[in-house]
Amino acid sequence: MCRDNRAADRQQIVYLSETYEGRVQDKKIADQQDCQFPENSRLRLDLGYLGYHPEGVITLLPVKKPYQGELTEQQKKFNQWVSKYRVVVEHAISGVKRCRIVKERCRNFAADFRDQVMLICTGLHNFRVSSPQRGYG
């Protein structure tokens, strides 16, 4: 999730939740974290957050295709518009995963180790994308 247009354009990550062991749904994590957003901020979500609507926030969620149905042309155009921003988010996620320790199985069971690893790798990613030496974006 990204709520700042400038941060989204730079692929900068502005919020991390705690890490969760195993497979946990995105919406369940968002509900448990109880995030507070500035009034009238825009929150770009994917279909993993279907049904998540925090108060005072404008949510931009793609339209889900109905069962055995088709989307209208207007809905398709809206989904294309939303996906432009989603691609930037996916690139930011893959930028963090350049540090292979994030995506490989972790066998270190020390307290808060996974959280520290994610925080360090995200910090490295943010440093990389904010560098004036960066050749793109």
Side-chain angles (χ1 to χ4, degrees), residues 85-98:
Y85 297 103
R86 185 67 196 153
V87 167
V88 176
V89 173
E90 292 297 335
H91 286 179
I93 292 169
S94 68
V96 173
K97 289 181 179 180
R98 285 183 187 173

Side-chain angles (χ1 to χ4, degrees), residues 37-96:
F37 300 100
E39 193 70 26
N40 293 325
S41 60
R42 282 189 246 159
L43 192 61
R44 297 181 182 108
L45 306 170
D46 63 10
L47 290 175
Y49 293 93
L50 198 61
Y52 179 68
H53 301 288
E55 288 186 36
V57 175
I58 300 165
T59 56
L60 296 173
L61 187 70
V63 180
K64 188 174 179 180
K65 182 177 155 263
Y67 177 71
Q68 292 186 347
E70 293 296 323
L71 295 175
T72 65
E73 285 301 315
Q74 185 178 9
Q75 290 171 328
K76 288 179 185 178
K77 294 259 188 229
F78 177 76
N79 283 353
Q80 287 174 349
W81 180 76
V82 170
S83 72
K84 279 193 316 190
Y85 297 103
R86 185 67 196 153
V87 167
V88 176
V89 173
E90 292 297 335
H91 286 179
I93 292 169
S94 68
V96 173

